[in-house]
Amino acid sequence: MRTIRVETTAATILLTEAPEPKVRDRQTGEIAKDAVSGEALMTIGVVYIEDGESSLIKVTVPEGGVSEGLNLGAPVSLPGLVARPWESVFNGQQRHGIAYRAAAVTPAAFQAAMGATA
C-alpha cells in the first residue's frame, strides 16, 4: 500500500498516552519489531489538532526514537510522520483503517498564537 507523508507544521500535537510496547501477537505477548532494523516498536496516543479540528490517533515509533522528557498533555513533535491505509478480513468481516508511523516522538513547544503580544 502507498505511504502518505503527513505535514505537521500547522498542527498542534499533544501526547495523550505514554509510549508502550507494540504487541504483535496478543496471545503470546510477542512485541512487534521493525521489518528492516529489527528494533522493537512502541505505540503512543496523541491528539492531532489542525484548523480547529482534532483527531485521536495511535502512532507507531521505533523504541530508539522515543525521547526522554515526554509528559502527558504536553506538545510533541512527530518527525517523519506518515499514514498508510490498510485493510484485512478478520473472522469473515472486512476491516480497514489508517496506520500512522513516525521516525521519533520528541517534546515540542506550543505554537505562539497569531497576533499574540508578549
Side-chain angles (χ1 to χ4, degrees):
M1 288 248 162
R2 178 170 168 81
T3 299
I4 303 161
R5 186 174 185 276
V6 178
E7 178 57 52
T8 61
T9 55
T12 298
I13 305 169
L14 306 175
L15 186 66
T16 59
E17 294 178 32
E20 294 183 358
K22 181 174 183 170
V23 178
R24 178 179 179 180
D25 186 330
R26 291 182 187 169
Q27 290 183 346
T28 65
E30 179 185 1
I31 302 301
K33 307 270 186 196
D34 181 88
V36 176
S37 70
E39 185 175 11
L41 297 175
M42 307 291 282
T43 59
I44 60 167
V46 299
V47 61
Y48 184 97
I49 306 166
E50 186 175 18
D51 294 332
E53 295 186 19
S54 64
S55 298
L56 289 170
I57 62 173
K58 295 265 191 185
V59 180
T60 299
V61 181
E63 186 174 34
V66 177
S67 296
E68 295 291 326
L70 298 174
N71 295 310
L72 292 180
V76 293
S77 176
L78 297 171
L81 182 63
V82 294
R84 177 176 291 143
W86 62 269
E87 60 181 46
S88 66
V89 177
F90 183 73
N91 286 338
Q93 292 188 318
Q94 179 93 16
R95 298 177 50 178
H96 57 87
I98 300 173
Y100 294 92
R101 180 147 178 186
V105 55
T106 60
F110 283 108
Q111 293 182 3
M114 294 182 71
T117 57

